[in-house]
């Protein structure tokens, strides 16, 4: 996809000018200190993502391990805060909140705010360590109080003075077949939110649920799509975002629906029928449109020092 990504960056540069200056302006940095926080390839991804956000669109980052997707995600959170939007970070488990908190601090969000970052977890009665020494924690109250707070915030479409919302995919599930206060809260703030799906393939679900009863509340995958449809913009982070064609409608915030006259429900069937050749074509077209990047580092010069270990062969027969 190198040529397609290069083309997208050239198109962006022709429209906004110098890429570094564009990113620095949107994120509130002096452009001569941008490399203090980001590598060159991260700046490219950030620029393309911000350009799509400016247009209320979606962006997919599929970089392999080592490029630094987390740092790019932190930049998206910084952008949302500066724009007066609510960044909603969705990940696999609460323990990963600490990693994002570290990335946010590393790119200077605390300095930008002039205080500590205020993060709101949708998880009740949670205590997440933010450092190795066990001196700093991200905490939430017991279920009763927390649900009441989320219900109040949702009714006001507000976040109670917090800068960023942290949630997990499991938090987007009903309980005993009913919509939870946290789901209602997330849906209420979605129109003023930039939703960030970390490992976005986890939001895909298992495709259409043919066993679902009519009128039943949305399952996790359906709820994720509700957030996508209502959000100001969406950032998808996953090296395996397209692992199954039957969940491609999750990426309806990109240009993919154009291919099916805006009917996102037709995406899955079209891509499944087209097979790998169509998937490759779609990826290239998304990259050329500036809505997808996938990079990986070369292993040239990397040596592996294998240490032989004596084992009892009979034990492992």
């Amino acid at each position: 996809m190198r040529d397609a990504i290069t083309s997208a960056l050239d198109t962006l540069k022709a429209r906004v000018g110098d890429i570094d200056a564009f990113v620095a302006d949107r994120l509130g940095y002096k452009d001569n200190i941008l490399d203090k926080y980001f590598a060159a390839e991260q700046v490219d991804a950030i620029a393309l993502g911000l350009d799509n956000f400016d247009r209320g669109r979606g962006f997919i980052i599929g970089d392999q391990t080592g490029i630094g997707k987390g740092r790019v995600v932190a930049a998206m959170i910084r952008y949302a805060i500066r724009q007066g939007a609510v960044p909603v970070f969705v990940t696999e488990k609460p323990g990963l909140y600490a990693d994002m908190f570290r990335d946010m601090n590393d790119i200077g969000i605390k300095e930008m705010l002039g205080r500590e970052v205020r993060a709101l977890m949708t998880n009740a009665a949670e205590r997440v360590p933010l450092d190795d020494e066990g001196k700093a924690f991200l905490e939430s109250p017991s279920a009763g109080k927390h649900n009441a707070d989320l219900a109040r915030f949702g009714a006001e479409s507000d976040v109670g003075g917090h800068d960023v919302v942290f949630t997990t995919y499991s938090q987007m599930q009903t309980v005993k077949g009913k919509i939870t206060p946290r789901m209602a809260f997330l849906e209420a703030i979605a129109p003023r939110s930039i939703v960030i799906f970390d490992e976005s393939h986890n939001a895909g679900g298992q495709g259409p649920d043919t066993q679902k009863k009519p009128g039943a509340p949305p399952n996790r995958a359906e709820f994720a799509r509700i957030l996508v449809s209502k959000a100001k913009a969406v950032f998808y982070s996953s090296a395996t975002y397209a692992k199954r064609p039957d969940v491609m409608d999750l990426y309806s915030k990109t240009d993919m629906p154009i291919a099916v006259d805006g009917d996102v429900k037709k995406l899955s069937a079209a891509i499944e029928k087209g097979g790998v050749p169509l998937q490759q074509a779609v990826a290239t077209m998304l990259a050329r449109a500036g809505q997808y990047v996938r990079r990986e580092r070369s292993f040239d010069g990397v040596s592996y020092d294998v240490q032989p270990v004596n084992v009892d062969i009979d034990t492992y027969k």
Side-chain angles (χ1 to χ4, degrees):
M1 298 174 201
R2 181 182 58 195
D3 292 345
I5 295 173
T6 299
S7 175
L9 288 168
D10 288 343
T11 299
L12 178 60
K13 185 176 181 180
R15 190 167 67 252
V16 304
D18 181 76
I19 296 294
D20 285 358
F22 169 72
V23 171
D25 175 69
R26 288 294 191 276
L27 297 184
Y29 296 114
K30 294 180 180 178
D31 56 3
N32 62 346
I33 66 167
L34 199 61
D35 60 353
K36 175 182 176 182
Y37 302 104
F38 306 105
E41 57 269 26
Q42 292 170 341
V43 172
D44 288 346
I46 292 168
L48 293 170
L50 296 183
D51 180 57
N52 280 286
F53 284 5
D54 283 348
R55 295 179 286 119
R57 304 301 295 156
F59 180 78
I60 305 168
I61 185 168
D63 290 342
Q64 302 297 293
T65 301
I67 301 296
K69 293 192 293 292
R71 187 64 63 95
V72 177
V73 168
M76 301 300 121
I77 293 174
R78 181 180 175 118
Y79 168 84
I81 294 172
R82 284 180 52 79
Q83 295 295 314
V86 178
V88 177
F89 176 66
V90 190
T91 189
E92 294 181 80
K93 50 190 178 183
L96 295 173
Y97 297 162
D99 294 337
M100 184 46 55
F101 215 92
R102 182 186 63 247
D103 281 323
M104 289 193 299
N105 283 333
D106 285 349
I107 67 167
I109 293 182
K110 181 169 68 173
E111 288 74 16
M112 178 186 76
L113 295 171
R115 55 170 171 76
E116 296 291 338
V117 177
R118 296 169 184 158
L120 171 65
M121 293 187 289
T122 63
N123 315 71
E126 194 73 57
R127 193 169 191 253
V128 178
L130 297 179
D131 59 20
D132 295 334
E133 293 78 25
K135 296 180 179 179
F137 296 88
L138 182 61
E139 300 181 84
S140 59
S142 61
K145 183 180 186 311
H146 197 50
N147 287 340
D149 287 343
L150 292 179
R152 175 167 52 85
F153 294 155
E156 299 170 354
S157 296
D158 190 30
V159 290
H162 295 86
D163 305 303
V164 58
V165 174
F166 285 165
T167 190
T168 62
Y169 292 106
S170 63
Q171 293 278 290
M172 299 193 298
Q173 298 175 169
T174 58
V175 175
K176 296 182 179 179
K178 296 182 179 180
I179 298 291
T180 63
R182 55 184 175 256
M183 292 174 67
F185 162 70
L186 290 171
E187 186 173 355
I189 65 170
R192 53 178 298 222
S193 298
I194 291 178
V195 178
I196 300 165
F197 290 116
D198 182 39
E199 304 296 345
S200 61
H201 53 271
N202 289 318
Q206 301 297 320
D209 187 353
T210 57
Q211 304 300 317
K212 186 177 177 181
K213 296 180 180 179
N219 59 32
R220 185 180 78 178
E222 291 168 331
F223 187 74
R225 285 154 177 76
I226 291 173
L227 295 185
V228 169
S229 67
K230 293 188 174 184
K232 292 172 68 69
V234 181
F235 187 87
Y236 308 91
S237 174
S238 173
T240 55
Y241 83 100
K243 64 194 302 183
R244 292 207 328 275
D246 59 353
V247 298
M248 294 305 289
D249 60 323
L250 176 69
Y251 302 95
S252 61
K253 216 68 169 180
T254 68
D255 287 348
M256 278 192 273
I258 295 174
V260 287
D261 297 324
D263 186 353
V264 296
K265 294 181 180 179
K266 295 180 180 179
L267 267 176
S268 299
I271 292 179
E272 185 173 11
K273 187 174 182 179
V276 172
L278 182 57
Q279 292 177 36
Q280 293 173 332
V282 167
T284 300
M285 293 172 72
L286 280 176
R288 196 171 298 279
Q291 294 185 332
Y292 176 51
V293 293
R294 181 189 184 281
R295 288 83 53 88
E296 60 185 78
R297 293 195 182 280
S298 168
F299 281 83
D300 289 345
V302 176
S303 61
Y304 292 88
D305 297 324
V306 179
Q307 298 294 324
V309 177
N310 293 323
V311 297
D312 184 349
I313 300 298
D314 292 333
T315 300
Y316 295 98
K317 284 184 178 179

